[in-house]
Amino acid sequence: MPKITTWSGFQEAEVAAILRPTDAEAIAQAIRTARAGGQRVRAIGGLHSFNTLPLTSGTVLDLSGLGQVLSADV
């Protein structure tokens, strides 16, 4: 099983899967797949946490691939 660790290294967890979606459809598909398998889904960012809040045993969605601005209404 893959592991995630907080940035400080004080907290870690084995997870069912770590997914890195790059668009909204990939997020939706990841959630559908996790729900079908009875897993919880947790979205993570930089894992800057001193507690176990970002940790799960289910599916982790690493949203770092979605860090761009697609459009702006100035």
Side-chain angles (χ1 to χ4, degrees), residues 10-65:
F10 290 129
Q11 304 290 335
E12 72 175 34
E14 288 187 350
V15 298
I18 300 172
L19 304 176
R20 293 173 176 86
T22 56
D23 59 32
E25 180 53 38
I27 293 171
Q29 182 58 46
I31 292 170
R32 285 191 293 267
T33 300
R35 287 185 65 183
Q39 297 174 0
R40 291 179 178 252
V41 177
R42 177 81 52 160
I44 61 168
L47 288 168
H48 289 92
S49 180
F50 289 102
N51 58 36
T52 59
L53 182 63
L55 305 180
T56 182
S57 60
T59 297
V60 171
L61 296 183
D62 178 349
L63 303 180
S64 62

